[in-house]
Amino acid sequence: MNRKEIIGSSLLFEGLPAQQIEDINNIAVEKSFQRGENIFFEGDKGIGFYMVGEGRVKIFKVSFAGKEHILHIFGQGEPFGEVPVFNGRPFPATAEALVKTKTIFFPRDKFVLLVEANPSIALNMLAVLSQRLRRFASQIESLSLKEVPERLAGYLLYLSHEQGDSDEVELDISKGQLASLLGTIPETLSRIFAKMSDEGLIQVNGKKISLLNRKGLMEKE
């Protein structure tokens, strides 16, 4: 893992001067986690934030009934747990490594000093946090106003955009995790996949999904 390269190419720090990237890299700490290992728990003190160096991380909450609901899944170069850096409050959700994962950890006290000396770092972070807030608002709208088929269609189109507007996308999470992300159960998701296949909208081959009728998916979204 090239820590400095990942930091410099991330949306969070992209475009910052080389010296600022060097300063950020100097306070960063590499931390590794095994698949299924928790990185932090909801309610833990926010002593810093993380960036995915290698692997994938899921952010989730657990209901009083014990049901897990995935909020986000992050990959290389994406930060997570950054809000407590500014408000000083505990982590609002739990983070877990989906696969063997290497993270880059930024201690809160040292990072705040850097931001105070280099306000442009904060401007980059505000842009990323604003983008994330829009995504989260869209997710809430989808879960509250849309039926599961609409949520799945929207997710597949989003995934296509993320993967270079390809007509063949690859799920980087299990279908059980996808069901949790979409606010449903695996059995319901499987039925919707089958129905969309019968309708000629998609073709499913394991984790690879071909978008056969993009217009039809957009109408369903």
Side-chain angles (χ1 to χ4, degrees), residues 120-137:
S120 56
I121 296 175
L123 290 176
N124 268 42
M125 293 193 73
L126 282 172
V128 171
L129 290 173
S130 296
Q131 183 183 57
R132 188 161 292 172
L133 184 59
R134 285 196 297 271
R135 278 177 56 189
F136 195 56

Side-chain angles (χ1 to χ4, degrees), residues 100-157:
K100 188 175 181 180
T101 298
K102 292 182 179 180
T103 66
I104 304 168
F105 175 71
F106 304 93
R108 181 177 187 270
D109 52 355
K110 294 180 180 179
F111 189 78
V112 168
L113 290 175
L114 272 184
V115 170
E116 289 174 348
N118 304 281
S120 56
I121 296 175
L123 290 176
N124 268 42
M125 293 193 73
L126 282 172
V128 171
L129 290 173
S130 296
Q131 183 183 57
R132 188 161 292 172
L133 184 59
R134 285 196 297 271
R135 278 177 56 189
F136 195 56
S138 177
Q139 183 180 9
I140 292 172
E141 179 186 16
S142 176
L143 290 173
S144 59
L145 300 178
K146 295 181 179 180
E147 298 297 327
V148 180
E150 296 172 298
R151 298 176 211 164
L152 177 58
Y155 181 79
L156 292 176
L157 291 169

Side-chain angles (χ1 to χ4, degrees), residues 51-88:
M51 180 178 289
V52 181
E54 294 176 0
R56 292 192 305 280
V57 171
K58 70 174 178 179
I59 309 296
F60 66 96
K61 293 177 76 73
V62 178
S63 70
F64 288 114
K67 183 180 178 182
E68 177 186 296
H69 182 69
I70 298 175
L71 303 175
H72 300 286
I73 292 177
F74 296 121
Q76 187 180 73
E78 293 188 290
F80 61 98
E82 66 274 24
V83 172
V85 169
F86 293 105
N87 66 16

